[in-house]
Amino acid sequence: MTDRPTLWTRIRNLISPPPENYDTRKARPSGAAPDQQLPIYEATDARRAGGTMQIGG
C-alpha cells in the first residue's frame, strides 16, 4: 500500500486540520512581505512629538 492517508482522514483534516508541532510544521518564508508595514498606532506613536521609535530616545 501507499503512505497516502485515507479518504476519511483527508476529509477530516480539511474540515479540522491537526495541530502543528515542531516536526509537522511547514516551512514559512521568513520576514514580512515587502508590501506590508508594521502597524503604527497614532495615539502611542512617539514620532508624533518628534521622537524616535527607539527605547529611551
Side-chain angles (χ1 to χ4, degrees):
M1 292 193 72
T2 64
D3 292 334
R4 189 173 175 182
T6 64
L7 179 62
W8 174 249
T9 302
R10 288 185 279 157
I11 292 171
R12 186 187 65 205
N13 288 346
L14 181 66
I15 295 170
S16 175
E20 289 185 332
N21 61 28
Y22 186 78
D23 295 325
T24 62
R25 186 175 76 96
K26 293 185 172 84
R28 294 183 177 86
S30 62
D35 60 342
Q36 287 182 333
Q37 294 181 349
L38 294 174
I40 296 175
Y41 302 105
E42 295 293 328
T44 58
D45 189 3
R47 295 175 295 178
R48 291 173 60 210
T52 65
M53 292 297 285
Q54 306 217 351
I55 297 174

